[in-house]
Amino acid sequence: MDFGEVLTRAWQIIWKYKILWIFGILAGLGSGGGKPRPGENGRNGNNNFNYQYNFGQNVPWYQVERWFNENWWIFILLALAVMALIVVIVVLSTFGRIGLARGAWQADEGAAKLSFSRLFGESGPYFWRVFGLSLLIMIFWIALLALIFLPALAFTAITFGVALLCIGPLLLLLCCLLIPLGWAVTVITEQAIVAITCENLGLIDGLKRGWQVFRANLGPQAIMFLILGIGGGIVRFIIALPAFLIALPLIGAAIANTRTAWMAGGITSLVLLCIFIPIALVLNGVVTAYTGTAWTLTFRRLTGRAVTAPAVEVVPAQ
């Protein structure tokens, strides 16, 4: 397989058919981050954080517990909101992965134009298959990790930690073996998604097809995974770097430790965060669109499909 042709063609496709960026954004949903901690300086003064502002040190625990008891319904609403958000993200991400694969496939076949409405509409018949594939992979990992770590934890508890000295090296070896296994599962999943959405296969048949393509092309798949995995990881790290700058106003506020500094720092960080999130989503979506397109082209090249003439009309699968 010509890796240069695949990587170049993938860039040409996402640059020409920028509608794939939207599906890349949808497929790349789910990023998260942490919160910076305020300083612990407890100086007194009119402008410094005193008793009523230094929550971490001065508010008695019984007041916190009382607030929890009186406002328990807030946490139920938050839990429901989080669950609803997760459902929305999973649905949109699934549609994004399907639309991206089908769009890249059609673009490589020479489609004159790709539209969001058409690709999104074509994704419907494949939704439950791709969602089921993701669910199956998640169950696999949960079962595998439980099979490895639960007996080890039980054995360690029974022997009061002595067994950990014996099984520790074994657990370390198993964790190392999980790395190539994770690589294999990732590649098989990517190829199975393409098989399901572009060859109109069922869940199990698509998984078998992904395994066949992977098994027959271990070398090219490994090289492509290293290129897309390492390259994509570096680009995403660069995209995430400005997130560290968002914490600088809060760090300055922690050093000053005044009410005005905390207010100014908090507002500044919030504004920067609101600016950073949409930019990061778009850039991450472009990266996701590129990697997803490259995996689709990899499947096509490894299964003997070359670039065809432009302006080919693709009929949606039923």
Side-chain angles (χ1 to χ4, degrees):
M1 186 178 73
D2 188 345
F3 298 100
E5 185 272 334
V6 170
L7 298 174
T8 302
R9 178 66 174 162
W11 173 252
Q12 292 172 346
I13 287 176
I14 68 167
W15 186 254
K16 180 179 179 181
Y17 305 93
K18 295 181 177 62
I19 193 66
L20 295 179
W21 296 10
I22 298 179
F23 289 97
I25 293 173
L26 296 179
L29 290 175
S31 301
K35 293 183 179 179
R37 294 178 59 184
E40 295 184 356
N41 190 343
R43 295 175 299 177
N44 293 323
N46 292 332
N47 292 324
N48 289 354
F49 266 121
N50 51 27
Y51 176 83
Q52 59 178 328
Y53 296 105
N54 200 337
F55 297 101
Q57 295 179 1
N58 299 313
V59 176
W61 282 109
Y62 75 87
Q63 293 187 18
V64 178
E65 182 179 359
R66 177 183 176 184
W67 189 90
F68 281 134
N69 292 333
E70 293 178 351
N71 300 277
W72 56 268
W73 54 274
I74 295 179
F75 298 96
I76 295 180
L77 292 179
L78 288 176
L80 293 176
V82 169
M83 292 175 61
L85 180 61
I86 292 175
V87 171
V88 171
I89 289 176
V90 169
V91 171
L92 293 180
S93 177
T94 303
F95 273 107
R97 299 177 76 179
I98 298 170
L100 182 57
R102 286 193 58 81
W105 185 283
Q106 295 178 17
D108 195 46
E109 287 191 334
K113 182 180 179 181
L114 298 177
S115 67
F116 178 82
S117 58
R118 177 175 177 177
L119 288 176
F120 195 85
E122 292 178 2
S123 302
Y126 307 101
F127 175 82
W128 290 111
R129 305 181 214 176
V130 175
F131 174 77
L133 176 64
S134 301
L135 185 62
L136 187 63
I137 297 301
M138 183 182 67
I139 294 174
F140 165 77
W141 281 117
I142 292 176
L144 180 62
L145 294 177
L147 184 64
I148 293 175
F149 291 103
L150 288 183
L153 291 176
F155 195 45
T156 300
I158 293 174
T159 59
F160 301 99
V162 177
L164 186 60
L165 299 176
C166 300
I167 63 177
L170 178 60
L171 289 177
L172 181 61
L173 176 61
L174 290 176
C175 290
C176 293
L177 292 177
L178 288 177
I179 297 176
L181 178 62
W183 160 69
V185 172
T186 298
V187 176
I188 293 172
T189 302
E190 293 289 346
Q191 302 297 268
I193 290 175
V194 179
I196 291 172
T197 59
C198 300
E199 293 187 337
N200 197 23
L201 300 179
L203 169 57
I204 302 302
D205 289 337
L207 191 57
K208 291 179 180 178
R209 178 66 164 158
W211 164 249
Q212 288 176 342
V213 176
F214 170 77
R215 185 181 59 181
N217 304 276
L218 287 177
Q221 299 273 21
I223 295 175
M224 185 58 68
F225 177 82
L226 290 175
I227 294 174
L228 297 178
I230 296 177
I234 293 174
V235 174
R236 287 188 172 93
F237 176 77
I238 295 174
I239 293 173
L241 281 179
F244 297 100
L245 300 178
I246 297 175
L248 291 181
L250 292 177
I251 295 175
I255 295 175
N257 199 28
T258 64
R259 185 189 315 179
T260 303
W262 276 107
M263 183 174 297
I267 293 175
T268 303
S269 292
L270 182 61
V271 171
L272 292 176
L273 182 64
C274 292
I275 297 174
F276 170 74
I277 288 178
I279 296 176
L281 284 177
V282 172
L283 295 178
N284 183 67
V286 175
V287 176
T288 303
Y290 179 79
T291 56
T293 300
W295 279 120
T296 302
L297 298 184
T298 298
F299 182 95
R300 285 178 57 83
R301 301 301 181 267
L302 294 178
T303 54
R305 295 176 173 91
V307 181
T308 56
V312 173
E313 186 71 16
V314 179
V315 179
Q318 299 297 324

